[in-house]
Amino acid sequence: MPATPPASVELAVVDRNGFVESRHFGVAVVLAPDGTEKITLGDASAPFLPRSSMKPLQALACLSAGADLADERLAISMASHCGTDRHAELARDILQSAGLTEDDLGCPAAWPTDTASRDELVRDHGAPSPLRMNCSGKHAAMLLTCVANGWSTTDYLDPQHPLQVHIREVLERLVGERMTTTAIDGCGAPVYAMSMVGLARAIQRIATSSERSPFALHRSAGALVRAVKDHPWTIDGPGRPDTIVIERLGVFSKMGAEGVQVMTAPDGTTVALKMFDGSNRAAHAVALRLLERAGSLTPEAVSDTLALLPLTVSGGGGVVGSIRAVV
């Protein structure tokens, strides 16, 4: 973020017994189906790090470089999954198709974030693994891309590696901005600063692409979106926010660490936002309410979906409040 914080607005609050206990400020932008800015809250032109909300762009870049991925294997390439056995096996399958193993993954070892999977692993005297790390699908896809092109696999996370150079070029094409700031994401891969409106523009281009397009990049983007909507469990996990939103509403949804969220409704309306405090707890609620405000989702559908998300505040073993959007 710039030295001087960009202009922001209040996006959500946390109330406890009717008392506002916490407030989430940030920036959000909503693009109409034709790509024009329909709603802008705060300074959507300021640079920020999109974190895992950038994964659809990275996955598309891998496809455009020749990665042979389809269906569930394609969907997990842009996932921030919860590390269940199914997720780990899918990432392993991609590696095996490239003649590689989990030892080739450059992401850190991790425990599953899915509680049941973690408990089972502990009971079986298991250990953290790179396959369980939420970015293992992305890394497996990157390694597959390297093998397909004859690129080295030992240094595939170096920003100057041919893979990362290609990814950066595809990002610039989709975002419509030069990537002038490079940082290292939690998984070890490069992440690039961009504007909120730039990220929204890129996500909208991907989410509204057709597999029947005369352009190869658009056909690949259409296949990516279809894979996610056909297999929503891959992108996050059963009962988890992104998966719920995709299953219930047919919305293309991808969260990113530090309070980032992107969504595209079936009509193409797209929202991108960031909470300045880095919290993700209200991000889905804000994004859904903004899509409702834009007229692309009905109030009833949004309310029914919000009821399934972890947005309650507890006290003494009961519900005493809620996390709610104020946009």
Side-chain angles (χ1 to χ4, degrees), residues 290-308:
L290 284 172
L291 290 177
E292 175 192 331
R293 177 175 162 184
S296 59
L297 295 176
T298 67
E300 295 78 16
V302 169
S303 294
D304 288 348
T305 302
L306 291 177
L308 301 175

Side-chain angles (χ1 to χ4, degrees), residues 161-240:
H161 188 280
L163 170 70
Q164 301 302 337
V165 170
H166 173 72
I167 289 174
R168 186 170 63 248
E169 290 173 349
V170 172
L171 260 64
E172 289 178 339
R173 177 178 172 185
L174 292 167
V175 175
E177 300 169 1
R178 294 285 295 174
M179 302 293 110
T180 59
T181 299
T182 304
I184 302 302
D185 212 333
C187 66
V191 60
Y192 305 98
M194 62 188 67
S195 71
M196 189 66 60
V197 70
L199 176 63
R201 186 185 302 120
I203 293 297
Q204 186 177 60
R205 287 171 174 167
I206 291 173
T208 59
S209 289
S210 170
E211 292 180 85
R212 297 185 297 275
S213 171
F215 304 104
L217 191 66
H218 291 183
R219 290 196 300 273
S220 294
L224 175 63
V225 173
R226 179 173 57 81
V228 169
K229 291 186 177 181
D230 285 351
H231 309 285
W233 70 271
T234 59
I235 200 69
D236 195 351
R240 296 175 68 88

